[in-house]
Amino acid sequence: MTTHRLRTAQGRLIAGLVGTNAAAYLGAAVPLNLLLVTHLTAIAGADATSEFSLVAGIGGLAGLLANPLGGRISDRTTARFGRRRTWILVGGLGAALLLMVMGWTTAVWQVVLGWAVIMVLIGVQQAANAALAADQVAPERRGTASGVVAFVALAGPVLGFALVSAVPAVPWLQ
């Protein structure tokens, strides 16, 4: 007996994967390389360098562990919205909300915890994103699709840094 899977139109699928991949890389690279450094300098002062190492290390470990776990969870999800799309949405929106909240943290432990959870959410999103491509892109087109989607690993952070540098300093956010 042959099972038929519902496939998304390839152009729409690739555009969606590019968008979610760009958002994930933008959400990880810009805060890590720019915003967390600034925020930790305000919180920790002279100890900001060592505190940044702690934040980045624990966040990296959390993300590393979250990726295979996210893939396993999305494999077993039976949500009506879709097993992959559910986790892409949960991971992306959850990370975006937490990134907004991170500006109000006042202690290093809060930054460590917040960044670790953000990395878990992005790891889950990325795992579901990769699995969605494997599920729905025809085998003979996966290399091209993966190359297009992976390109934003470079372009997403560049776009993010350009956006941050284009925004003028806002006194009440400093």
Side-chain angles (χ1 to χ4, degrees), residues 110-146:
Q110 294 168 341
V111 177
V112 169
L113 180 62
W115 188 248
V117 174
I118 288 168
M119 290 293 93
V120 166
L121 290 167
I122 289 174
V124 167
Q125 176 194 3
Q126 289 294 88
N129 208 32
L132 182 63
D135 288 348
Q136 295 204 7
V137 176
E140 64 275 4
R141 297 186 64 187
R142 284 188 190 140
T144 302
S146 294

Side-chain angles (χ1 to χ4, degrees), residues 8 17 28-29 48 91 98 114 125:
T8 307
L17 292 173
L98 270 175
Q125 176 194 3

Side-chain angles (χ1 to χ4, degrees), residues 8-23 88 129 132 137 145 148-149 152:
T8 307
Q10 294 296 289
R12 200 175 91 204
L13 174 69
I14 299 303
L17 292 173
V18 164
T20 60
N21 211 27
I88 291 170
N129 208 32
L132 182 63
V137 176
V148 170
V149 171
V152 298

Side-chain angles (χ1 to χ4, degrees), residues 30-115:
V30 174
L32 180 64
N33 290 302
L34 182 63
L35 304 175
L36 283 178
V37 171
T38 305
H39 190 58
L40 285 169
T41 300
I43 293 173
D47 293 332
T49 303
S50 61
E51 302 298 357
F52 177 78
S53 298
L54 179 69
V55 170
I58 291 175
L61 181 61
L64 180 71
L65 297 173
N67 196 274
L69 183 62
R72 187 167 177 94
I73 290 169
S74 75
D75 283 346
R76 288 164 173 67
T77 298
T78 58
R80 185 178 173 129
F81 187 60
R83 63 185 184 159
R84 310 294 186 205
R85 290 179 182 106
T86 298
W87 294 106
I88 291 170
L89 185 66
V90 166
L93 288 179
L97 288 171
L98 270 175
L99 279 168
M100 289 189 289
V101 171
M102 288 289 285
W104 287 292
T105 57
T106 57
V108 173
W109 72 266
Q110 294 168 341
V111 177
V112 169
L113 180 62
W115 188 248

